[in-house]
Amino acid sequence: MKKIGLFYGTSTTKTAAIAKKIKEAFGSVKIDVIAVEDASEKEFEDYDNIIVGVSTWFDGELPSYWDEVKPELESLNMKGKKVAIFGLGDQVKYPENFIDGVGILAGTFESVGAKVVGFTSVEGYKFENSHALRDGKFVGLAIDKENQSKLTDERIKNWVEQLKKEFD
């Protein structure tokens, strides 16, 4: 398997904890962890397989660190690259925009030629709307630590197994 770059906002402890679990679930696969706050355009282009982590803030907004990087992402050439996205959200307090950040980033990466992989089922979630929905699936891994923390480890394990196949 080609080297993987894992990008996420290191200032958010919940996203950082999920990123660590994802890296551990890959076992001996080489994964470079990059703080998105410090990432350069070249670092995104250095990887054929990329995992990005994002939480959704307020009423469906990207966190400021991704919002600041997004214009740079829009100028990249990501043709031939695969991007998997995991996102954190709260389906009880914010059911009308659950994990919207995942959908926003998926659109951004697709607009520059990347192929988004790692789609997951919406089964077991209760929400009203999400920009992360496509053809009845999430365009990445949805994590709700506030309301479904007991399901997190199993969801990560299953997603990583899926990514191992999709990243080949």
Side-chain angles (χ1 to χ4, degrees), residues 103 106-107 110 116 119-120 122 130-139:
E110 287 172 327
V116 175
F119 284 43
T120 59
V122 298
S130 176
H131 288 301
L133 280 178
R134 189 168 308 149
D135 297 326
K137 290 189 168 196
F138 290 126
V139 294

Side-chain angles (χ1 to χ4, degrees), residues 3 19 40 71 96:
K3 190 169 62 168
S40 69
E96 62 284 342

Side-chain angles (χ1 to χ4, degrees), residues 28-92:
S28 63
V29 174
K30 173 78 169 129
I31 297 179
D32 294 333
V33 176
I34 300 105
V36 73
E37 300 93 333
D38 302 323
S40 69
E41 291 176 33
K42 182 180 179 339
E43 285 177 296
F44 282 98
E45 292 175 335
D46 282 347
Y47 299 92
D48 291 317
N49 295 321
I50 297 169
I51 299 171
V52 298
V54 61
S55 55
T56 299
W57 283 6
F58 310 112
D59 292 329
E61 299 169 28
L62 285 176
S64 57
Y65 49 86
W66 275 112
D67 210 29
E68 292 167 9
V69 171
K70 191 173 178 273
E72 292 177 28
L73 294 176
E74 292 168 343
S75 69
L76 298 177
N77 178 1
M78 300 289 284
K79 285 184 176 48
K81 301 193 183 293
K82 294 180 181 176
V83 177
I85 307 167
F86 70 93
L88 285 78
D90 184 330
Q91 62 193 309
V92 174

Side-chain angles (χ1 to χ4, degrees), residues 116-153:
V116 175
V117 298
F119 284 43
T120 59
S121 173
V122 298
E123 189 175 324
Y125 298 91
K126 291 183 180 179
F127 60 97
E128 294 171 20
N129 191 34
S130 176
H131 288 301
L133 280 178
R134 189 168 308 149
D135 297 326
K137 290 189 168 196
F138 290 126
V139 294
L141 176 63
I143 299 291
D144 184 343
K145 296 237 342 145
E146 275 64 47
N147 305 293
Q148 296 182 327
S149 62
K150 291 180 181 174
L151 302 174
T152 298
D153 289 343

